[in-house]
Amino acid sequence: PRPGAVPPLSRRAPPAVMAEGTGTPRRERSGPPSRAASAFRRWEQLPAGCDTLARGLLAAAAGLGLLYAAAVPVRLRDGLAAVTMFLSTLTPKFYFALTVTSSFISGLIFVFEWWHFRKYGTSFIEQVSVSHLRPLIGGAESSPPAPAAFSAGENESSRQNMPECKVWRNPLNLFRGAEYSRYMWVTGKEPLTYYDMNLSAQDHQTFFTCDTDALRPSDTVMQKAWRERNPQARIKAAYQALELNNDCATAYVLLAEEEATTIVDAEKYFKQALKAGEMIYKKSQNCHSQSPQHEAQLRRDTNVLVYVKRRLAMCARKLGRIREAVKMMRDLMKEFPLLSMLNIHENLLEALLELQAYADVQAVLAKYDDISLPKSAAICYTAALLKARAVSERFSPETASRRGLSTAEINAVEAIHRAVEFNPHVPKYLLEMKSLVLPPEHILKRGDSEAVAYAFFHLQHWKRIEGALNLLHCTWEGTFRMIPYPLEKGHLFYPYPSCTETADRELLPTFHEVSVYPQKELPFFIHFTAGLCSFSAMLALLTHQFPELMVIFAKA
């Protein structure tokens, strides 16, 4: 080395590392050099002139960056000047056309949003953004799992707690030929929805068919008839079944339901069905223990017999023979006590109220208004009606506010609150705040369909008791102060199910305005589009009235 030169750094050996499980050190394993180390070695091997060249390139790049940064304000100034020049050439007609077009488009969006919210209960823009835009933005990763993906263990309880909207057969459903069809002939409106009629077709196939129908030609024809969508085809098939077997009870049932145009004609068909059904039922009782097929046939014949007797009682009720109808219903409930799920007691309650036999009504409620039995609007509101009957004649809001409520009045008010909590849609129909339609063949408990079915038959009973509707009018809204969050927590019943609106829209006709509880607030986009439409219309009006002033304002 030259004198005064610094000696080069010597390479150090790799440090010693303690071997695992031993106390002796071991050397690190040598391997191929990394890319970064190789690049650094090549940079050290470059000649000294290259370092100067690299610094010059960096300086040139920095200078170009400074020139570009200085040129950006110049470009912005030129662009702003061009925009200003373009706006100065625009006429008032352009601004007027622009504001009118904006107001028209926002008005169309507002009308469509309002229609979609009234029909489906949701905002279309929000629904599209949640369904399509959120996955594109990246919200799909944080979305909750599908409700069908339940594990067999810990999620079983959560599946049981999910709200379920079960549809029930309306115990007071009308006759298709004698009532529903007559309504359609007079008004031109279809009172039943396709979903409702499809559920009835499924019920008929469940009640009136069995596995042994293939052994009897008449029952085979009727099995096909219950699946037909066209009413005339069903009636024609019923006549074909009667040609094969004059004692086919289900054929008479179909003719009574759909071909008879009056209750008197329907009763005649049901009497023929009763005669044939009793004969077939006795034969099935004698041989039901021979095989499982015979047991299934006995269940079918039992369903037919119960259905016919119930409809005969309803015919007697509609024709004014109420005491006869009450006797038939009581006999039917005694003969078949295990068929309580058919809710025959609700037919009995309505007939007893028509007779004003309130003591008998109270006896029926004592049996069926039990905590272990499913509730209904007929049960809850009839119990409230009986308690309101004791105090409604002398009830006055002014007197009650001055002296307080008596014990009987408190019981009546609590009964009304209980009924309103179970089904909050009923009071509007009883107080005639909403118009009634024909009740559907199926109802959803606690829903608007059940409220329509109850009020259609029981409104006259509330009107008959003096002061009952006045007491209901003064007290029913107080229920909502007791349950401020009905979808999360109830007071006397489970929280109100959130799926009733969708099911009621399927059950009730389209010309009926479905009652919604709790009331939904208007979505944000309805307010936004309404404000945008109004603001654009105001600008269009100002531009039309003061064109020069608005042009100056726009240019400024």
Side-chain angles (χ1 to χ4, degrees):
R2 291 178 287 118
V6 179
L9 294 174
S10 60
R11 292 183 179 269
R12 293 185 178 179
V17 183
M18 299 295 293
E20 296 180 359
T22 63
T24 57
R26 60 177 174 85
R27 293 288 182 178
E28 285 187 343
R29 185 179 301 174
S30 61
S34 63
R35 294 184 178 179
S38 302
F40 183 72
R41 261 189 226 104
R42 287 196 297 269
W43 176 262
E44 288 181 340
Q45 295 174 0
L46 289 176
C50 294
D51 188 12
T52 306
L53 179 61
R55 291 180 180 178
L57 291 175
L58 290 175
L64 291 175
L66 291 175
L67 290 176
Y68 180 78
V72 167
V74 177
R75 293 184 180 181
L76 291 177
R77 196 182 308 112
D78 294 342
L80 185 60
V83 170
T84 305
M85 185 179 299
F86 173 74
L87 293 177
S88 62
T89 58
L90 296 178
T91 61
K93 293 182 178 180
F94 171 80
Y95 292 106
F96 178 72
L98 178 64
T99 52
V100 168
T101 304
S102 176
S103 177
F104 177 73
I105 294 176
S106 57
L108 289 179
I109 298 175
F110 168 71
V111 171
F112 178 76
E113 275 283 300
W114 178 262
W115 170 83
H116 192 275
F117 176 75
R118 297 285 292 180
K119 186 173 179 62
Y120 301 104
T122 58
S123 169
F124 177 77
I125 299 177
E126 291 180 2
Q127 185 177 359
V128 170
S129 61
V130 170
S131 302
H132 299 85
L133 299 182
R134 181 178 292 180
L136 297 178
I137 298 175
E141 292 81 357
S142 60
S143 60
F150 286 100
S151 64
E154 58 186 21
N155 288 333
E156 187 67 27
S157 59
S158 61
R159 175 168 28 180
Q160 296 175 357
N161 294 331
M162 289 182 64
E164 178 186 2
C165 288
K166 182 180 180 180
V167 177
W168 298 72
R169 183 83 178 177
N170 184 4
L172 298 171
N173 65 310
L174 306 178
F175 295 86
R176 281 198 187 180
E179 292 173 309
Y180 287 120
S181 296
R182 290 175 60 186
Y183 177 85
M184 186 176 61
W185 296 337
V186 173
T187 62
K189 298 178 180 179
E190 182 62 55
L192 296 176
T193 62
Y194 174 76
Y195 176 70
D196 193 15
M197 292 188 289
N198 187 38
L199 291 176
S200 298
Q202 296 176 16
D203 293 341
H204 294 154
Q205 295 176 44
T206 303
F207 293 158
F208 304 144
T209 61
C210 64
D211 297 336
T212 60
D213 287 343
L215 304 177
R216 296 175 297 277
S218 59
D219 290 337
T220 303
V221 174
M222 288 305 301
Q223 194 174 31
K224 296 179 181 178
W226 296 120
R227 298 173 182 171
E228 286 286 347
R229 293 186 179 180
N230 188 2
Q232 298 301 323
R234 290 195 294 269
I235 295 173
K236 183 178 179 180
Y239 279 114
Q240 291 177 359
L242 290 176
E243 292 176 0
L244 296 173
N245 179 14
N246 195 35
D247 294 329
C248 184
T250 54
Y252 288 116
V253 169
L254 193 148
L255 294 177
E257 291 286 350
E258 303 201 16
E259 192 193 35
T261 56
T262 62
I263 302 298
V264 176
D265 295 338
E267 189 179 29
K268 292 178 181 179
Y269 279 122
F270 276 121
K271 286 182 178 180
Q272 291 177 289
L274 177 64
K275 182 180 178 181
E278 286 180 337
M279 182 177 58
I280 298 173
Y281 177 71
K282 291 178 181 178
K283 291 180 181 179
S284 300
Q285 275 187 318
N286 296 330
C287 58
H288 74 279
S289 60
Q290 296 180 3
S291 64
Q293 288 77 14
H294 287 87
E295 292 181 3
Q297 184 175 346
L298 177 61
R299 286 195 298 269
R300 193 278 306 269
D301 295 337
T302 303
N303 292 335
V304 173
L305 186 61
V306 172
Y307 185 89
V308 171
K309 288 187 175 183
R310 180 180 190 169
R311 295 303 260 179
L312 277 173
M314 294 177 68
C315 289
R317 163 67 182 90
K318 293 175 184 294
L319 295 174
R321 306 193 307 269
I322 305 174
R323 296 189 182 277
E324 179 186 347
V326 169
K327 183 179 182 304
M328 295 175 66
M329 292 175 189
R330 289 187 185 276
D331 294 341
L332 184 60
M333 295 169 65
K334 290 179 182 178
E335 187 178 359
F336 302 97
L338 298 179
L339 296 179
S340 59
M341 75 288 297
L342 298 178
N343 297 326
I344 304 175
H345 58 275
E346 295 192 13
N347 300 82
L348 180 60
L349 282 174
E350 197 278 329
L352 290 174
L353 286 172
E354 182 64 22
L355 288 176
Q356 303 184 34
Y358 298 113
D360 295 335
V361 172
Q362 185 63 53
V364 175
L365 288 177
K367 181 178 180 181
Y368 290 97
D369 193 4
D370 187 78
I371 192 172
S372 61
L373 296 177
K375 299 295 183 291
S376 65
I379 293 290
C380 296
Y381 278 90
T382 302
L385 178 62
L386 292 186
K387 292 188 177 181
R389 174 177 169 268
V391 299
S392 60
E393 187 176 357
R394 301 179 300 275
F395 178 78
S396 173
E398 295 79 9
T399 306
S401 62
R402 185 171 58 255
R403 62 169 174 81
L405 295 175
S406 63
T407 304
E409 290 173 341
I410 291 176
N411 294 334
V413 171
E414 289 178 351
I416 291 176
H417 286 175
R418 170 178 178 258
V420 173
E421 181 183 354
F422 182 82
N423 194 319
H425 309 283
V426 173
K428 289 186 177 181
Y429 295 106
L430 293 180
L431 298 173
E432 298 182 275
M433 300 168 64
K434 283 178 64 73
S435 59
L436 280 171
V437 294
L438 293 186
E441 294 182 340
H442 291 80
I443 60 174
L444 181 68
K445 288 192 175 182
R446 308 187 72 179
D448 190 35
S449 53
E450 185 191 30
V452 170
Y454 173 80
F456 186 85
F457 294 99
H458 289 261
L459 177 59
Q460 55 182 336
H461 307 316
W462 281 80
K463 287 184 175 181
R464 186 177 295 121
I465 298 177
E466 185 180 356
L469 290 177
N470 179 41
L471 179 61
L472 176 68
H473 175 71
C474 296
T475 57
W476 73 281
E477 291 182 338
T479 311
F480 306 126
R481 292 191 291 269
M482 301 167 56
I483 41 175
Y485 304 101
L487 297 179
E488 301 174 5
K489 185 179 180 180
H491 180 63
L492 298 174
F493 299 98
Y494 288 106
Y496 190 80
S498 59
C499 56
T500 55
E501 180 185 356
T502 305
D504 282 331
R505 292 185 188 278
E506 296 288 338
L507 292 172
L508 294 168
T510 55
F511 56 84
H512 173 71
E513 183 180 356
V514 176
S515 177
V516 179
Y517 175 78
Q519 287 291 337
K520 295 182 178 180
E521 297 181 357
L522 289 178
F524 163 76
F525 285 102
I526 290 184
H527 294 286
F528 177 75
T529 52
L532 181 62
C533 178
S534 304
F535 181 71
S536 303
M538 183 183 65
L539 288 181
L541 180 62
L542 292 176
T543 305
H544 183 266
Q545 294 293 330
F546 311 102
E548 293 81 4
L549 182 62
M550 293 303 295
V551 169
I552 295 174
F553 176 76
K555 291 179 180 178

